[in-house]
Amino acid sequence: MTTDHTRPAHALPVYPSALLRVTNGANMGDGLGFADDLVPEDCYQLARHAAPNRLSLHTADNGHFTVANDSSLGQPGATVVLDSCLTFMTRASDVTELLVLVEVDADGHAAEIYGLPLADIRPKTDYLLVGIDRETALSRFAQVACVSFARGTRITLTTGQQRPIEDLQVGDRVLTRDDGPQAIRWIGQNTVRAVGEFAPILITAGTLHNQHDLLVSPDHRLFIYQRSDRIGAGRPEILVRARHLVNGDTVRVQAGGFVDYFQLLFDRHQIIFAEGIAAETLLIDPRTRPALPDGVAARMAATLPRHAMPNHLDFEIAKNLVDRPDAAEILRRASTR
């Protein structure tokens, strides 16, 4: 097993097991467990005043994860395994999904169990466990990891035309920053509730020299060339996650309702232009690969390994460099002078 520790880890907002306990049912009083110990129709509640904490993970080549050194939870270097996807229902018939991750100690025993909610969960609310699924856990986790553009996003083609992403077709040639014209190999599409980890980030027109609003998934990385290094990255070319630029004004979370997400796949990970902003396309790695249909994965078997060597991902910067409300404005100015 190898793990790339040279790039920023992926931070997940999770709850340790003790904060989500059974208040009625067979496992009365127990905290969240893994699939083998769970009992359908147990009723859970989130502890009063509980707030999600940050579990930072590096992806290993076997599909498991290791706890990063800067993680607020877990033992650095420990293995974390994705166990299952749970479905809960409230008394109001609202459905919520939660992914169970298990931290394993050196002896192979469960050291801690974490719940990653895919929609907001609230204290003092009953959550009835109605589904335990190990088969879909990887694909649901992959959906969170897949960078996506929302319906209506205009993508720049090699002709200079800007075409809405929902009108693109496999084979269309898109302008890329590094490799010129490149053909689309696969287009993914899914509709999800715009809540929790699926709530998109809105980058309003003009924020990063974009003529129109841009709506992307939270971890979508944007490419910015700084003419002057105003944030101390130590290099002019950087990648920054959309969620790290949220300021509640020009860049904000657009939660509520549903969002149609689209994923663009090329022979290798690319930087393309969406609403005039340079942004990444889908990167296939151990975490996102389960999102690909089997037929697509088989057809692209010869080219997918190229996704493991995207040199420009070395440009990704950590959150602390842009952890300020005027970060987007600083980057806009840095890109012009």
Side-chain angles (χ1 to χ4, degrees), residues 169-182:
Q169 298 181 358
V170 171
D172 284 344
R173 294 174 72 81
V174 171
L175 180 63
T176 72
R177 179 185 181 274
D178 301 298
D179 296 320
Q182 292 294 315

Side-chain angles (χ1 to χ4, degrees), residues 189-213:
Q189 193 270 325
N190 59 310
T191 300
V192 297
R193 292 175 60 199
V195 294
E197 287 297 285
F198 290 111
I201 305 299
L202 174 66
I203 302 169
T204 58
T207 299
L208 293 174
H209 304 294
N210 45 315
Q211 185 177 359
H212 300 281
D213 291 349

Side-chain angles (χ1 to χ4, degrees), residues 205-212 275-277 331-333 335-336:
T207 299
L208 293 174
H209 304 294
N210 45 315
Q211 185 177 359
H212 300 281
E275 301 297 354
I277 295 179
L331 292 175
R332 186 186 70 81
R333 292 179 179 178
S335 66
T336 57

Side-chain angles (χ1 to χ4, degrees), residues 15-325:
Y15 294 97
S17 59
L19 295 182
L20 193 60
R21 291 189 176 277
V22 178
T23 56
N24 189 23
N27 288 329
M28 181 82 168
D30 290 350
L32 180 69
F34 40 76
D36 288 343
D37 295 337
L38 299 176
V39 178
E41 298 190 4
D42 273 0
C43 186
Y44 288 76
Q45 276 196 12
L46 185 65
R48 187 188 299 266
H49 306 308
N53 209 335
R54 179 171 53 86
L55 178 65
S56 295
L57 301 177
H58 289 292
T59 305
D61 56 11
N62 65 352
H64 295 171
F65 311 93
T66 59
V67 179
N69 290 333
D70 65 347
S71 182
S72 298
L73 297 171
Q75 178 64 37
T79 296
V80 174
V81 179
L82 180 61
D83 177 73
S84 55
C85 180
L86 309 183
T87 303
F88 294 94
M89 182 175 291
T90 68
R91 294 184 185 277
S93 298
D94 293 327
V95 174
T96 297
E97 289 182 312
L98 180 141
L99 295 175
V100 176
L101 298 108
V102 181
E103 180 182 343
V104 180
D105 63 22
D107 296 323
H109 302 132
E112 180 57 277
I113 297 172
Y114 306 101
L116 170 63
L118 300 184
D120 293 334
I121 58 175
R122 303 176 299 276
K124 300 169 61 175
T125 300
D126 291 333
Y127 291 93
L128 187 69
L129 179 60
V130 296
I132 305 168
D133 193 340
R134 280 179 158 165
E135 298 301 320
T136 64
L138 281 174
S139 61
R140 293 296 283 156
F141 199 50
Q143 287 178 2
V144 176
C146 286
V147 297
S148 307
F149 300 97
R151 176 180 294 275
T153 301
R154 297 185 306 166
I155 304 298
T156 301
L157 303 182
T158 56
T159 60
Q161 176 191 4
Q162 291 188 322
R163 184 179 298 173
I165 195 167
E166 62 270 23
D167 294 338
L168 293 176
Q169 298 181 358
V170 171
D172 284 344
R173 294 174 72 81
V174 171
L175 180 63
T176 72
R177 179 185 181 274
D178 301 298
D179 296 320
Q182 292 294 315
I184 300 172
R185 297 305 185 193
W186 176 72
I187 301 174
Q189 193 270 325
N190 59 310
T191 300
V192 297
R193 292 175 60 199
V195 294
E197 287 297 285
F198 290 111
I201 305 299
L202 174 66
I203 302 169
T204 58
T207 299
L208 293 174
H209 304 294
N210 45 315
Q211 185 177 359
H212 300 281
D213 291 349
L214 175 65
L215 196 64
V216 295
S217 54
D219 281 315
H220 211 127
R221 287 172 286 216
L222 311 175
F223 181 92
I224 297 172
Y225 179 84
Q226 302 181 99
R227 294 182 181 274
S228 57
D229 185 9
R230 291 173 176 259
I231 62 169
R235 55 182 178 269
E237 299 174 316
I238 61 172
L239 282 172
V240 58
R241 295 178 189 261
R243 71 160 81 231
H244 292 168
L245 295 177
V246 170
N247 55 25
D249 182 18
T250 60
V251 184
R252 56 184 182 267
V253 179
Q254 186 162 293
F258 291 83
V259 59
D260 292 331
Y261 275 141
F262 293 80
Q263 303 86 36
L264 297 180
L265 179 66
F266 295 82
D267 284 336
R268 57 167 291 185
H269 184 252
Q270 296 288 354
I271 301 296
I272 63 173
F273 300 92
E275 301 297 354
I277 295 179
E280 69 172 329
T281 61
L282 179 60
L283 170 67
I284 300 302
D285 61 17
R287 186 178 171 197
T288 58
R289 190 176 182 115
L292 282 184
D294 291 340
V296 173
R299 187 171 70 249
M300 295 186 62
T303 60
L304 288 181
R306 300 180 192 175
H307 282 242
M309 300 175 289
N311 293 334
H312 49 256
L313 280 194
D314 294 335
F315 301 149
E316 183 178 354
I317 60 173
K319 179 183 179 182
N320 65 294
L321 288 180
V322 287
D323 193 12
R324 48 188 297 175

